[in-house]
Amino acid sequence: MNGIAILLGLASAACFAVSSVLEQHAAKQERPTRTIDPRLLIRLLHRRLWLLGWVPDALGTFLQALALRFGALALVEPLLVSGLFMAIPLEAAIERRRPHRRDMLVVVVGVVGLTGFLFAANPRGGVAEPKVWAWIAVGAAIGTLVTICLLVAWRTQDATRGLMLGIATGLLYAMAAALVKSVIEKLPDHPGQVFTDWHLYALVMVGGAALTLNQNAFQGGPIAAPLTAIALLDPFTSVLIGVFAFEEKLSLQGPRLFFGLIAVAAMSIGIWMARRTRSS
């Protein structure tokens, strides 16, 4: 089952990479907006390129849901970071330039850190549905962190603003992925119950907020800053949610804990470097 989940996760990452580049290119053509401005989505609905980006986005979401059906949250979500390697060269190709070396260095540092953490942690599956108190705790923690990111983004500009919005988006995407896993677990056996379950409506709200922040993040500066934050924070937060809420297991004992901490430091450095990426 893990082999199927890995293949589906990698295919999903490729779709999300194409979607991110198309949506970012369209969003940068709109005038700058405030940190949270839903009107940006309304304007983007009139851009064909942005609408085209929904095709690979929808396919990527479908493949991600299938991957979560076969594999643990802590296994599937980190695979999406592989889309970083495709998104940055794609952006450069659309803008008819070479990828910046610093952007690629940011990606390499971040991905090495995330890969090292996953290798050290060796995540394994847990329960199918978390307890209610676990959902409440996860929601409160992510809500607090997202609020802090938005406050910082409100006072900053360009790549730093995009980075903070990217962090907030990554946190929300991780929460959305956890909700997708809960919904997809019920779908095969009880499809009718999905529409009376709170998970589906929470998913719509969280996903809508993440989409809005994502497009605002893409407006300022290069794609590397927000996308690096999203691609690293989404899987890393998903691992934490998987452990805390879904009771998935990590193997962080002895030397594995040491290497895991080094890997987390590498991811942090990658995110910090992303705030100085360039757009031309």
Side-chain angles (χ1 to χ4, degrees):
M1 290 296 184
N2 278 350
I4 296 175
I6 290 172
L7 289 175
L8 291 171
L10 291 174
S12 176
C15 291
F16 285 140
V18 175
S19 173
S20 295
V21 172
L22 295 176
E23 291 175 358
Q24 187 248 10
H25 195 67
K28 286 177 69 174
Q29 296 174 20
E30 293 289 338
R31 64 178 182 275
T33 62
R34 293 185 175 184
T35 299
I36 306 177
D37 189 354
R39 293 175 299 179
L40 174 61
L41 294 180
I42 297 175
R43 294 197 297 271
L44 287 172
L45 285 171
H46 295 87
R47 289 194 176 273
R48 293 180 181 178
L49 186 62
W50 191 79
L51 293 174
L52 181 62
W54 275 81
V55 176
D57 195 19
L59 179 58
T61 301
F62 174 73
L63 294 172
Q64 179 190 22
L66 283 181
L68 288 170
R69 183 76 177 89
F70 290 105
L73 182 69
L75 170 67
V76 173
E77 288 306 292
L79 294 172
L80 301 184
V81 77
S82 61
L84 266 177
F85 284 117
M86 293 169 271
I88 291 179
L90 278 174
E91 180 205 23
I94 287 180
E95 296 181 354
R96 298 180 180 180
R97 60 172 175 80
R98 293 182 179 179
H100 296 305
R101 291 182 180 178
R102 184 183 180 87
D103 291 355
M104 297 306 298
L105 179 61
V106 166
V107 172
V108 171
V109 171
V111 171
V112 167
L114 180 61
T115 303
F117 176 79
L118 291 174
F119 180 79
N122 186 28
R124 300 180 301 282
V127 300
E129 176 57 34
K131 298 178 177 64
V132 175
W133 66 264
W135 280 119
I136 295 174
V138 168
I142 289 182
T144 300
L145 292 173
V146 168
T147 300
I148 293 172
C149 289
L150 295 183
L151 291 175
V152 175
W154 188 273
R155 297 176 176 273
T156 54
Q157 297 178 347
D158 300 328
T160 302
R161 176 179 178 273
L163 176 63
M164 298 310 299
L165 292 178
I167 292 174
T169 302
L171 292 169
L172 290 177
Y173 277 152
M175 184 68 178
L179 291 167
V180 166
K181 184 170 178 61
S182 288
V183 171
I184 205 69
E185 287 288 345
K186 299 179 180 66
L187 193 58
D189 300 324
H190 307 285
Q193 293 183 8
V194 170
F195 297 98
T196 60
D197 190 356
W198 68 267
H199 294 90
L200 177 63
Y201 302 100
L203 174 60
V204 172
M205 293 178 61
V206 172
L211 176 63
T212 302
L213 290 181
N214 198 350
Q215 304 312 310
N216 279 268
F218 283 163
Q219 272 203 302
I223 198 173
L227 194 58
T228 299
I230 294 170
L232 295 181
L233 264 296
D234 179 354
F236 184 67
T237 306
S238 293
V239 170
L240 297 182
I241 295 175
V243 171
F244 181 77
F246 287 87
E247 300 178 27
E248 296 173 356
K249 304 295 188 296
L250 301 181
S251 303
L252 290 175
Q253 295 92 23
R256 285 181 177 269
L257 177 60
F258 174 73
F259 287 113
L261 292 174
I262 292 178
V264 171
M267 283 189 288
S268 301
I269 292 172
I271 294 174
W272 180 80
M273 290 173 61
R275 69 190 178 92
R276 295 188 179 276
T277 53
R278 298 181 299 169
S279 57
S280 60

